[in-house]
Amino acid sequence: MKRNQFYIVPVTALIFAGMMSCRNNRETSVQTGGKPVAVVTEQVKHVYPSADITVSGNVEGSRTVRLGFTVAGRINSIHVAEGQKVKQGQLIAGLDPVNYEIARELADIQVRQVADEFDRLKAMHERRSLSESDFRKADFTLQGARAQLRLHDKNLADTKLYAPISGILLKKLAEPGEIVATGTPILVVSDISKVKVNAYIPENQLSQVRIGQTASVRVGALGETYSGKVTEVGAAADVTTRAFTIKVEVPNPKQDIRPGMIAEVALPSEQGKQMLAVPVSAIRRTPEGQTYVFVTGNGQAFQRNISIGAISGDKVEVLAGLSAGEAIVTGGQQKLTNGSRISVTNPSPRR
């Protein structure tokens, strides 16, 4: 009985092995002799990496001024509304002038009084009836009174606020009736005949940006692209982002570009060296993370491991594993295995 068991085990193993061999033969037959897989191919070639640097930024006016009165008081009137255009020298706001008018009148009276006293003392000085020191004191008193009058004249004039630049009123920070202190900003005016795009550029690309460099600026809100120039390059990086500030000046004759809009800045830089590249879509990975592509030849596709480098647009640099001129699969590779039969279905070139 033990002898029978000894022979049964090898026979069973042989039968199982024969079944597996038949199965493998059938799978290989299906893989190499079945219907070809339709694929799209492309030749491996050398390309120049994209040289454009693209960053996003915010639009701001070429000059933005926060305006306030140089004297304190109650706001009497504001003559412009937000978004309204203003011209240089235009009256845009005023304070209640009554207190300053009264102070000016008192100073004028003081000047007249001191001037009369000075004239009387001057006559005495000419008759040598007044000492030189007393006459000098009278002269200084008159000069002080006149200076006070000029100061009150200026304070009265400063109750009116005029636009120092032409532009638009961006923001109104106060309303008539409010009491404001000296220098408190109440209006923000921006010159937008030219605008600046304030953007940040990574530190590893800073060497490719220079003042005076031409830039292409696209404003998404307007659907327009404008030409500008780099006018400022930051000297120090932002502590958190490690990026540098750049400013690109853009002419705005129609004044349709407004502060606060988002703009995309494209800066052409020097062209990099050639690299062997393939489309990103052609790259596959094994479960272990090895990158590979399918190389075509004799109606079949063969898996080949490659090493990749930098990505530029829709291309990825190939460091090893491929040569220029070889054809690789760029579409339909999801259905392929090593050695699959293929049929190339590349689209016809447009005429």
Side-chain angles (χ1 to χ4, degrees):
M1 187 68 180
K2 291 181 180 178
R3 185 174 54 189
N4 291 340
Q5 289 177 349
F6 179 81
Y7 286 103
I8 289 172
V9 173
V11 171
T12 305
L14 288 173
I15 293 172
F16 179 75
M19 292 174 63
M20 292 301 295
S21 176
C22 292
R23 180 179 178 185
N24 290 337
N25 289 338
R26 285 198 301 273
E27 288 180 351
T28 303
S29 175
V30 170
Q31 186 183 62
T32 59
K35 186 178 179 181
V37 178
V39 297
V40 177
T41 64
E42 183 176 312
Q43 275 195 334
V44 180
K45 55 187 177 181
H46 287 95
V47 299
Y48 284 101
S50 174
D52 284 354
I53 301 170
T54 303
V55 291
S56 293
N58 295 318
V59 175
E60 58 185 31
S62 59
R63 283 196 299 165
T64 300
V65 184
R66 297 168 65 88
L67 302 177
F69 293 97
T70 57
V71 293
R74 181 173 58 84
I75 299 175
N76 199 30
S77 59
I78 295 178
H79 305 293
V80 288
E82 288 187 3
Q84 183 178 335
K85 293 181 180 180
V86 298
K87 293 183 178 180
Q88 184 177 6
Q90 177 182 340
L91 177 64
I92 53 178
L95 294 178
D96 185 349
V98 173
N99 290 345
Y100 294 99
E101 289 173 345
I102 294 172
R104 197 266 176 201
E105 289 178 7
L106 290 174
D108 184 53
I109 292 172
Q110 181 69 19
V111 167
R112 292 200 300 269
Q113 180 180 352
V114 173
D116 288 343
E117 180 67 14
F118 176 78
D119 290 340
R120 185 179 66 81
L121 295 177
K122 182 180 179 181
M124 294 176 61
H125 180 260
E126 291 174 350
R127 296 194 301 269
R128 300 183 181 275
S129 301
L130 184 69
S131 67
E132 186 67 25
S133 61
D134 289 340
F135 178 70
R136 282 181 172 275
K137 289 180 183 179
D139 186 27
F140 292 150
T141 302
L142 178 59
Q143 292 180 37
R146 287 173 175 170
Q148 283 290 330
L149 179 60
R150 288 196 301 272
L151 177 61
H152 287 292
D153 281 337
K154 181 181 180 300
N155 288 343
L156 181 59
D158 287 343
T159 60
K160 295 181 179 180
L161 185 61
Y162 298 89
I165 60 173
S166 296
I168 62 168
L169 183 67
L170 291 186
K171 193 172 293 185
K172 186 165 63 172
L173 304 175
E175 295 291 339
E178 292 185 36
I179 297 176
V180 293
T182 301
T184 301
I186 63 168
L187 301 170
V188 181
V189 176
S190 182
D191 178 6
I192 61 169
S193 58
K194 294 179 181 178
V195 295
K196 289 182 179 180
V197 180
N198 189 22
Y200 289 90
I201 191 164
E203 60 181 356
N204 61 345
Q205 295 178 326
L206 183 66
S207 61
Q208 303 178 53
V209 181
R210 64 185 185 279
I211 293 177
Q213 184 176 3
T214 300
S216 176
V217 179
R218 177 168 179 78
V219 182
L222 303 176
E224 296 287 342
T225 301
Y226 305 85
S227 178
K229 284 189 177 182
V230 178
T231 57
E232 296 180 36
V233 178
D238 183 86
V239 177
T240 56
T241 64
R242 308 309 304 168
F244 288 79
T245 303
I246 64 169
K247 290 189 177 183
V248 178
E249 187 177 81
V250 181
N252 188 27
K254 297 181 180 179
Q255 299 192 0
D256 50 353
I257 309 175
R258 293 299 181 96
M261 288 183 172
I262 303 297
E264 187 176 83
V265 179
L267 296 162
S269 61
E270 295 180 0
Q271 194 172 50
K273 64 180 181 178
Q274 264 192 342
M275 68 180 187
L276 192 67
V278 297
V280 175
S281 60
I283 304 295
R284 309 288 291 171
R285 288 184 182 273
T286 66
E288 295 77 22
Q290 172 63 53
T291 54
Y292 68 90
V293 295
F294 284 100
V295 181
T296 65
N298 298 323
Q300 290 179 274
F302 300 95
Q303 181 177 325
R304 187 184 297 178
N305 292 344
I306 63 171
S307 297
I308 62 174
I311 296 176
S312 178
D314 62 348
K315 300 285 185 181
V316 61
E317 181 182 13
V318 177
L319 301 176
L322 287 175
S323 300
E326 291 187 284
I328 62 170
V329 178
T330 58
Q333 65 269 46
Q334 297 85 353
K335 301 177 182 179
L336 296 178
T337 57
N338 191 28
S340 295
R341 294 179 61 228
I342 60 171
S343 63
V344 178
T345 59
N346 289 359
S348 300
R350 294 182 179 179
R351 294 183 179 178

